[in-house]
Amino acid sequence: MQLYNTLSAKEREALIEEAGKDRLTISFYKYAHIGNPQILRNHLFLTWNGMEVLGRIYVAHEGINAQLSVPADNFKVFKEHLDSISFLENVRLNIAIEQDNKSFLKLKVKVRNKIVADGLNDATFDVTNKGIHVGAEQFNELIEDENTVLVDMRNHYESEIGHFKNAVTPDVDTFRDSLDIIEQDLAEHKEDKKLVMYCTGGIRCEKASAYYKHKGFKNVYQLEGGIIEYTRQVREKQLENKFLGKNFVFDHRRGERISDEVIAHCHQCGKPCDTHVNCANEACHLLFIQCEECAEKMNNCCSVDCMEVHALPYEEQKRLRKGKGASNKIFKKGRSPVLKYKK
Ligand SMILES: [Zn+2]
Ligand SMILES: [Zn+2]
């Protein structure tokens, strides 16, 4: 029984190209009590591998969080299979706006302690006592209310390239940090203000809204399905779009454009740009924003040091990396002293 990937990313890429079929990039999550995450993990891997599903999935006692690439032809059987798992029946699927057949090149299903690294001790509050879920239409009204404080629950490198207008965007590296900062900033307004929050697909707000209610906030709202579902509803119902820029996503695409505004800057020259890249030096892999000219000038690297390493023969690079721990920090926080415009 094959329970793990056998193809490399390159081999998979070739297969996808050869097949020439459309794939859908899909995400979903669900908090639920899962008795034996390992059994569920193996079941999902075996079934989805057979359907040529790819992606990154976390399974924990507290639930499941999945980002997937599903062949469009297999979507129906995929959905039927999901519906056959009692706690996933009719789970909301976020379908990406911009399709990319290579959003994921491997199927990785992992058992984790948590489905979102939140740094919280669950025993301290009731995660099911969540905020009020609102759709795009109600959200648009709420965020124009002068008694509303709109908070972006994502990290700095996500809100940097796109966010809702008038949103507070904490300059944080982790979810845990933003929980504390927002609580401090709004300590005086737990009862009089409406705390409205959003994130990419809604999962972080499930925890955050419960956390703030636990901390005494009286009026807590969260955007149902996050930016992804908001954008779908705005397009379907022809609503006014209040999101500026790009939605950062955790796959090969890195971001999907929601509006034409470019609100970020190249971290090397400072000119308007919102394209995230990873430093081409495998030992670095820093995630940062780089314009095309800088990419050319710097040979896709974040610094002169990285350019030098990247120019070495591959075997020499490997030798240098040896014993230095994980090199593949694809989503390493996008800050570095080497970046003139993002220290
Ligand atoms: Zn530049
Ligand atoms: Zn680098």
Side-chain angles (χ1 to χ4, degrees), residues 279 281 284-286 302-303 306:
C279 175
N281 172 15
C284 171
H285 237 288
L286 177 73
C302 74
S303 61
C306 283

Side-chain angles (χ1 to χ4, degrees), residues 13 44 102 105 146 153 165 167 186 234 318 337:
E13 207 175 331
L44 293 177
K102 296 174 192 166
L105 295 171
E146 58 181 25
M153 291 309 304
K165 70 174 197 194
L186 297 177
V234 160
K318 255 170 100 176

Side-chain angles (χ1 to χ4, degrees), residues 32-46:
H33 295 287
I34 295 172
N36 190 331
Q38 188 65 42
I39 290 180
L40 178 65
R41 182 258 163 223
N42 289 348
H43 171 67
L44 293 177
F45 185 91
L46 285 172

Side-chain angles (χ1 to χ4, degrees), residues 266 268-271 291 294:
C266 171
Q268 289 174 323
C269 73
K271 82 167 194 190
C291 73
C294 289

